[in-house]
Structures are given as structure tokens and as C-alpha cells.
Amino acid sequence: VQLQASGGGLVQAGGSLRLSCAASGSTLHYHAIGWFRQAPGKEREGVSCINLSDGSTVYADFVKGRVTISRDNAKNMVYLQINSLKPDDAAVYYCASDPDLYCSDNLSVGDFTSWGQGTLVTVSS
């Protein structure tokens, strides 16, 4: 599967963004899409994940209440709505998947092997 993230940009603190992840190619064995982010000088961390079949979701504690992940299976799209953006949310955001993987609570970067090109989110204070 090929994944492409988009929708990043410059937003003022308190604003909102919706990131998109487009999946293409062989999606038959891919059951979940995760969103991750990496800020300069920091490790990549899991933000959220959605199981494509039933829409069940996982969120990292630091984004609960501010982030909503959703999917449109007909369009092979997954979205990440981020509200009340903070300067700490500034990062490159990536979507990722892995064959036969379902979302788990730990949102482990190492579980995902297919990564899209990231999209940059910049938050001005």
C-alpha cells in the first residue's frame, strides 16, 4: 500500500486542521491506519489509529478530547481532525499501516512498516 499525508500548514494556536491520508495500491490486507508525529529533535510518537472495518479508534493520552480520527473506506481516505492546536503539536505528521495489523493501545511506531510522506504542521503562538 502507498500512503500520502496532506493537509498540514501554518495555524495559530487554538486553531484547527484536518489532515488527510490517501491510501492507494494493494489495500486488501491492510486493516488499520495510524497517525504519528515527529517534532524536531524528538522521537516519532503515535497520535491515533483507526481500524478500517469497524471504525474503532485509539488515541494517545496527550490528544484525547482534541483529536478525531475518521475514515472513508469508499475513498480509501483516513482523516485526522486536530482542534485547539498548541505549539507542542507542531511536527511532521505521518500516516502509516502494516499488513494484517490492527490498532493497539500502545500505538507503537515499530509495528508499522508502510509509511507515507509526512505533512508539516506549524503552530504559531
Side-chain angles (χ1 to χ4, degrees):
V1 68
Q2 290 78 48
L3 301 171
Q4 178 65 55
S6 62
L10 172 63
V11 184
Q12 282 191 328
S16 299
L17 269 181
R18 188 177 82 155
L19 306 181
S20 299
C21 178
S24 61
S26 179
T27 61
L28 181 63
H29 298 292
Y30 289 80
H31 307 299
I33 299 287
W35 279 100
F36 297 80
R37 70 184 189 184
Q38 188 166 18
K42 295 187 176 181
E43 293 187 353
R44 192 168 298 187
E45 61 184 356
V47 177
S48 183
C49 185
I50 187 166
N51 288 313
L52 300 177
S53 58
D54 64 3
S56 56
T57 58
V58 172
Y59 294 98
D61 286 342
F62 57 80
V63 296
K64 281 182 179 177
R66 298 192 299 119
V67 165
T68 303
I69 190 171
S70 61
R71 93 281 194 214
D72 185 336
N73 288 343
K75 296 181 179 179
N76 286 338
M77 297 290 294
V78 170
Y79 306 99
L80 189 74
Q81 177 73 34
I82 313 174
N83 300 321
S84 302
L85 277 156
K86 307 174 182 179
D88 286 349
D89 293 321
V92 177
Y93 283 72
Y94 300 89
C95 55
S97 189
D98 190 79
D100 298 319
L101 179 72
Y102 291 86
C103 298
S104 64
D105 289 344
N106 61 9
L107 289 169
S108 175
V109 172
D111 290 341
F112 292 77
T113 57
S114 298
W115 291 83
Q117 188 175 350
T119 186
L120 177 64
V121 173
T122 305
V123 183
S124 63
S125 56

